[in-house]
Amino acid sequence: ALALLSAGTLIYELVLMRIFSVLMWYHFASLAIGLALLGLGAGGLAVGLWPSLGEPRRRAGFVMAFSLGVVGVLASLIVLHSWPDFAKATLAPFHQPFYKPFERAETTSLDFALAIRLLGLSIIVGWPFFFAGAVTTGVLRERAPRLKSHYAATFLGSALGCAVFPLLLSYVPAPSALGVAAALGAVSAVWWADSLFRRRLALASIAVFLLLAVWTSVTQVAEIPFARGRYEPDLLAVRWNAMSRVAAYSLPPDDVLRPYGQSVRYKGEQPRQIGLVVDDSGYTNLYDGAQSLANPEYFRANLVSAPYHIRPRASALLFGPGGGKDVWIALSFPEVTVSAVEINPLVIEMAEETFGAFSGKPYSQPRVKLTVADARRFAKQDRGIYDVIGASAVFGRLPPSAGAFTLSEDLLHTADAFEDYWERLSADGILSITRFAYEQRALRLTGLAREVLNRKGVKDPGRHIRVVSDRGLVNVMVCKSPFSAEDDRRLGEMLDRYGFEYLYPSPDGTTNQLTRLIDEGDFSAALAEIPFDVSPPTDDRPFFYYTVRPSDFISGGAPGHAGFDDRGTEVLRLSFLILLGLSALALITPTFFRKGISRSALKSNGGALAYFFSVGFGYMVLEIGTMKRLLLVLGHPVYAVSVTLLAFLVGSGAGSLASERLAPNRRSLAVVLCAIAVLGAAQAHFTPALLAPVMQFSLPLRVAAALAVVLPLAFLMGIPFPAGISALGRDSGELLPWIWSVNGFASVTASLGAVLLAMNLGYLVTIDIGVAFYLCAGIFLLTFSRKPLGAGG
């Protein structure tokens, strides 16, 4: 029963992350983790304050409260579907501010009203976790100190939920999956029901929840009717999987007539278009295939076509072409051939099947070869050589898969990635990346271009870089050989014809931030002069859209700008502070008011509490860091999340079962803690190099290699918590709720804290911090009293 409840809880948590990724900034997917841990910890503390809450007679009722809370979130989505003003009233501050019904005035004020909304959101979606935590703590307390099998059941049940989740979203939308999570909880209520009536009620509830899941899936009454923040009650098509939600919608005329990058001098016919949105803000368009083939000039008049005007017979490699715009642009040049790499199979399904008759199936055109894969892995695995490697605005705006621990990490826009692309270029090949120019992205792209040239020993980077723009769009081109006079002549003719302009070389010879990034001899000094952080991202710190300097993040200021992406970061920082305050209020403060344990006893046992805090914080940080280390080798965020969670849940569950045998005393437990620190540090520093050779292997072999690296660490990390409980002696059952609460507080802190650390310091330093906490746990272990804790209270 405990395993089934854990499975339902994890599915609810993962579904929340998927829904948050569609309704709000991607940043809030991480918030779901913190809310889950906060609710579970608060439920554990409640059992400590009122022990009767943990009694067996209450478990069935609490589990049903969990299930009803999950269904309540589903009911909220049903309301949202038919009443968009509900979204404006509740979610506006957490969404991009550019589209109705979310108004800019509602979204840019970081004030008390925002904090209240965040608090309300936290309570609404977080309280089911409270009941799950109360039941789990009650069971573990009842079994303490020999709780290893039940503690393992929570891990193994969660592993079951992790395995079921991607399968589930292959058949039902994320909102409907909430009904399945509620039904799983109700199944465990059948086990704990203490009367025939309650058992029958639980069985009836299972049927109702499953029917609700089927009904909402078939009728789509809980579908989220938004596309890029705009209310779209008549979405043309919607597809869900564990990776993303892709929705098709009719484009308003203003979105079609004058898109950035399309020459204002072009006066011909424009192909009809259908919009596609991936989750919240990953957007692309489908184009009428017949009109696209009949009117190539429309696509030649696009800024993205610049490299083909220079290399009109190119063999092109396109990353993330989405609905097919980049493909049509390349095909508008009769002698260009295309290799297209798209990571999201749902986007391909929309372009080739759902709307194939409209789109003309761009990926099935004779000069196009399609590969569904991650661009980074493809660049490492492929041995082809290309004259143009290109990507436009959809590139890098990838959905965060299951949403776990993400802040729009982008392994496609790093200096390491650009080096991979460089190796695939022909001798005079061009890397062409197009991005919206606002929010420092043009500067960051230019810095990336300069960095890859520096790494390759190029002495005169200015001869290899050209930067052109159209209104809010910029195209940065890096040529493996210096741009020739003929190259510049062709590019100049294209700019003159279509009304585009040079940003580099500067047409009037003026010096500005962008030109200094290319021409300045001291690249570091040029970066330091800019008030934002536009230093080249790396695989260790892959946050392309995050341009706040660490010092400004800590002080709460971002001088000179308040960009869209950084505004989301500011909201996340406020969320972290609020979550930290709530955690302290809900998980720490109440322990001082508990009758039966004096403050002096708490003070004397502070080392034990610090031990469990260190174990909780270190566990989450190492889990998050390991997940990020696997992202590149597994080739997709969904695989990295699934493999990492599965490995940690199964490995830690097995470690819990073996804890009594492997760590029967404090000395052996100290050895385990040191082993965790050694393995964790090894993963931080050596995993990328260790797994690099398996990048060429098939997915099953890569998963096997990743599991071989992760499982030993995960196994050891399952030992310290139950072994620490056993080390406390016979009174550990009474103290377990407080230990659970301190451990939960640490996990809540780490769930968002690790991401914030990684944003500012990188994952290597973040993992090393997690390792340090395990070493601290070994020191705190020495402070454990040799008499049963609580004897003095």
Side-chain angles (χ1 to χ4, degrees):
L2 192 61
L4 288 172
L5 176 61
S6 298
T9 303
L10 190 76
I11 289 175
Y12 174 52
E13 181 180 348
L14 292 175
V15 171
L16 271 185
M17 287 186 257
R18 283 273 73 247
I19 291 172
F20 278 11
S21 293
V22 174
L23 277 177
M24 297 178 283
W25 269 306
Y26 288 152
H27 314 43
F28 286 90
S30 298
L31 181 62
I33 300 287
L35 293 177
L37 295 170
L38 174 59
L40 293 169
L45 180 58
V47 172
L49 294 174
W50 300 281
S52 62
L53 296 179
E55 294 175 358
R57 62 186 176 87
R58 297 188 181 273
R59 288 172 192 163
F62 279 7
V63 170
M64 290 307 301
F66 162 80
S67 296
L68 290 172
V70 174
V71 171
V73 175
L74 178 55
S76 299
L77 293 175
I78 294 174
V79 174
L80 190 74
H81 181 83
S82 56
W83 186 29
D85 283 343
F86 179 60
K88 178 181 177 181
T90 56
L91 300 176
F94 314 121
H95 197 284
Q96 58 172 321
F98 303 124
Y99 298 93
K100 295 178 179 180
F102 301 145
E103 299 172 0
R104 178 175 295 275
E106 295 270 356
T107 63
T108 55
S109 179
L110 300 176
D111 54 15
F112 181 73
L114 174 63
I116 293 298
R117 293 190 194 195
L118 181 62
L119 178 62
L121 175 68
S122 302
I123 293 173
I124 290 171
V125 303
W127 71 274
F129 295 113
F130 172 88
F131 291 102
V135 172
T136 301
T137 306
V139 174
L140 295 181
R141 179 178 184 180
E142 184 180 70
R143 301 289 175 171
R146 299 185 179 276
L147 48 68
K148 60 178 185 179
S149 61
H150 288 73
Y151 185 65
T154 64
F155 279 101
L156 298 177
S158 297
L160 172 65
C162 178
V164 166
F165 172 73
L167 268 174
L168 183 60
L169 261 67
S170 298
Y171 294 97
V172 299
S176 301
L178 292 170
V180 178
L184 267 177
V187 172
S188 64
V190 174
W191 187 284
W192 279 314
D194 55 4
S195 69
L196 181 61
F197 172 76
R198 289 191 173 187
R199 190 170 293 112
R200 288 177 175 174
L201 184 62
L203 287 169
S205 299
I206 295 170
V208 170
F209 296 153
L210 291 177
L211 286 173
L212 187 61
V214 173
W215 175 65
T216 53
S217 178
V218 172
T219 63
Q220 295 191 335
V221 295
E223 185 54 67
I224 301 169
F226 291 97
R228 297 173 68 191
R230 180 170 45 235
Y231 180 55
E232 292 286 350
D234 298 315
L235 293 173
L236 302 177
V238 180
R239 299 288 185 273
W240 287 85
N241 62 10
M243 183 195 308
S244 65
R245 183 197 80 154
V246 177
Y249 61 101
S250 299
L251 282 174
D254 290 346
D255 282 10
V256 177
L257 293 178
R258 289 182 175 272
Y260 287 167
Q262 191 65 41
S263 171
V264 295
R265 295 182 181 176
Y266 174 77
K267 304 302 181 182
E269 183 181 2
Q270 304 212 26
R272 292 182 302 156
Q273 299 171 41
I274 293 175
L276 288 185
V277 62
V278 181
D279 280 351
D280 171 51
S281 57
Y283 49 89
T284 181
N285 290 349
L286 298 173
Y287 290 81
D288 184 303
Q291 294 180 1
S292 298
L293 289 171
N295 186 19
E297 180 61 19
Y298 171 78
F299 295 100
R300 292 179 189 174
N302 194 289
L303 187 71
V304 177
S305 71
Y308 304 111
H309 286 273
I310 304 173
R311 303 280 183 268
R313 298 175 180 84
S315 168
L317 173 62
L318 304 180
F319 290 138
K325 182 188 76 173
D326 287 15
V327 173
W328 290 122
I329 287 174
L331 294 181
S332 69
F333 295 81
E335 298 182 66
V336 171
T337 58
V338 176
S339 293
V341 181
E342 171 60 48
I343 193 173
N344 195 328
L346 291 184
V347 172
I348 300 300
E349 179 184 334
M350 288 286 197
E352 294 287 299
E353 298 176 21
T354 308
F355 296 98
F358 171 84
S359 69
K361 299 184 177 181
Y363 295 106
S364 299
Q365 295 296 312
R367 288 186 280 142
V368 178
K369 178 183 177 182
L370 170 66
T371 303
V372 179
D374 168 66
R376 282 296 302 280
R377 182 173 173 269
F378 183 91
K380 285 182 173 292
Q381 184 183 33
D382 183 50
R383 288 295 172 261
I385 298 298
Y386 304 93
D387 303 309
V388 171
I389 296 179
S392 65
V394 72
F395 181 66
R397 262 300 196 187
L398 297 176
S401 68
F405 315 121
T406 61
L407 187 66
S408 296
E409 299 96 335
D410 183 0
L411 286 168
L412 307 180
H413 283 87
T414 68
D416 309 279
F418 275 39
E419 278 197 283
D420 291 340
Y421 310 149
W422 181 275
E423 297 302 320
R424 304 273 68 79
L425 285 174
S426 61
D428 60 351
I430 298 172
L431 173 63
S432 171
I433 308 296
T434 307
R435 271 289 163 275
F436 285 108
Y438 56 77
E439 298 169 30
Q440 298 75 53
R441 296 179 196 172
L443 293 174
R444 175 149 270 176
L445 269 180
T446 304
L448 273 169
R450 169 70 185 270
E451 175 66 15
V452 71
L453 292 170
N454 287 348
R455 290 188 180 191
K456 296 303 177 181
V458 174
K459 301 301 182 182
D460 188 0
R463 298 180 61 196
H464 295 257
I465 299 175
R466 296 294 180 265
V467 184
V468 295
S469 72
D470 173 63
R471 293 166 291 166
L473 208 67
V474 64
N475 184 344
V476 177
M477 289 179 285
V478 187
C479 189
K480 201 166 187 178
S481 61
F483 281 99
S484 66
E486 177 63 16
D487 292 340
D488 284 334
R489 184 189 67 78
R490 291 179 177 179
L491 181 59
E493 287 180 353
M494 183 255 192
L495 300 185
D496 291 340
R497 179 177 182 180
Y498 296 119
F500 302 142
E501 61 181 5
Y502 270 115
L503 294 184
Y504 186 88
S506 175
D508 56 4
T510 58
T511 299
N512 52 47
Q513 290 178 338
L514 189 145
T515 60
R516 281 196 294 271
L517 284 178
I518 300 173
D519 296 332
E520 185 76 38
D522 188 341
F523 182 45
S524 298
L527 290 171
E529 291 175 1
I530 300 172
F532 335 110
D533 181 11
V534 295
S535 59
T538 64
D539 285 354
D540 182 59
R541 189 171 172 243
F543 298 95
F544 177 84
Y545 299 98
Y546 175 63
T547 58
V548 177
R549 293 190 181 279
S551 58
D552 292 328
F553 180 85
I554 294 172
S555 65
H561 82 302
F564 162 52
D565 296 304
D566 295 332
R567 173 61 62 177
T569 303
E570 293 175 22
V571 176
L572 182 67
R573 179 177 54 214
L574 178 63
S575 304
F576 174 72
L577 295 174
I578 291 174
L579 193 61
L580 197 65
L582 283 175
S583 301
L585 186 65
L587 300 179
I588 303 299
T589 306
T591 61
F592 293 93
F593 299 96
R594 169 70 169 122
K595 296 180 180 179
I597 294 185
S598 66
R599 294 188 182 185
S600 60
L602 286 173
K603 185 176 180 180
S604 64
N605 296 324
L609 296 180
Y611 168 87
F612 287 103
F613 178 92
S614 299
V615 167
F617 193 94
Y619 189 101
M620 288 296 296
V621 170
L622 287 181
E623 183 180 40
I624 293 170
T626 300
M627 186 181 300
K628 299 308 176 185
R629 287 302 192 195
L630 295 181
L631 179 57
L632 188 58
V633 71
L634 292 177
H636 196 284
V638 168
Y639 302 147
V641 170
S642 300
V643 170
T644 305
L645 286 181
L646 196 62
F648 269 85
L649 293 168
V650 172
S652 297
S656 174
L657 288 172
S659 61
E660 192 174 272
R661 186 155 44 96
L662 295 180
N665 52 55
R666 299 180 193 184
R667 179 176 298 178
S668 56
L669 178 54
V671 172
V672 169
L673 292 169
C674 290
I676 292 172
V678 171
L679 276 180
Q683 284 217 6
H685 294 268
F686 303 118
T687 294
L690 185 64
L691 291 179
V694 307
M695 291 284 288
Q696 310 298 326
F697 296 169
S698 64
L699 178 61
L701 290 176
R702 283 181 284 129
V703 169
L707 290 174
V709 170
V710 176
L711 279 172
L713 177 63
F715 176 82
L716 291 176
M717 288 169 63
I719 295 175
F721 188 90
I725 296 294
S726 296
L728 292 179
R730 59 184 175 83
D731 287 341
S732 58
E734 181 184 352
L735 292 174
L736 182 62
W738 285 266
I739 294 167
W740 182 269
S741 300
V742 169
N743 186 264
F745 177 76
S747 299
V748 172
T749 305
S751 65
L752 284 179
V755 176
L756 298 179
L757 284 171
M759 286 164 49
N760 292 284
L761 303 176
Y763 281 110
L764 182 62
V765 173
T766 301
I767 295 173
D768 284 340
I769 290 172
V771 167
F773 270 88
Y774 271 100
L775 293 175
C776 290
I779 296 173
F780 293 131
L781 182 64
L782 301 175
T783 68
F784 276 31
S785 173
R786 294 191 178 276
K787 64 181 179 179
L789 286 177

